[in-house]
């Protein structure tokens, strides 16, 4: 479920005050190759930069 849909649902059931939106992401990612001694941990902005990203694609399956 996308954040937008989750937010809309929470608002519709009266939980709008439970929604938290940080100004900047603190999430990090670790690539799938290698092991814990060779892995590189990157923030989302760092990943976008090194990957020359043009944008993001939502690959989550929507609930039916």
């Amino acid at each position: 479920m996308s954040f937008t849909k989750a937010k809309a649902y929470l608002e519709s059931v009266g939980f709008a005050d439970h929604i938290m939106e940080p100004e900047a992401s603190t999430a990090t990612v670790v690539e799938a190759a290698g092991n814990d001694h060779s892995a590189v941990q990157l923030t989302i902005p760092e990943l976008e930069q090194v990957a020359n990203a043009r944008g993001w694609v939502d690959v989550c399956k929507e609930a039916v």
Side-chain angles (χ1 to χ4, degrees), residues 1-37:
M1 177 179 294
S2 70
F3 176 77
T4 304
K5 286 187 178 185
K7 181 178 177 181
Y9 171 76
L10 289 171
E11 289 171 342
S12 74
V13 294
F15 287 100
D17 59 326
H18 288 61
I19 301 168
M20 294 172 37
E21 293 184 65
E23 289 185 25
S25 174
T26 57
T28 59
V29 293
V30 178
E31 90 286 345
N35 60 35
D36 59 344
H37 296 291

Side-chain angles (χ1 to χ4, degrees), residues 25-52:
S25 174
T26 57
T28 59
V29 293
V30 178
E31 90 286 345
N35 60 35
D36 59 344
H37 296 291
S38 64
V40 177
Q41 187 172 4
L42 302 168
T43 64
I44 301 301
E46 290 170 335
L47 176 62
E48 291 171 335
Q49 182 179 6
V50 299
N52 241 357

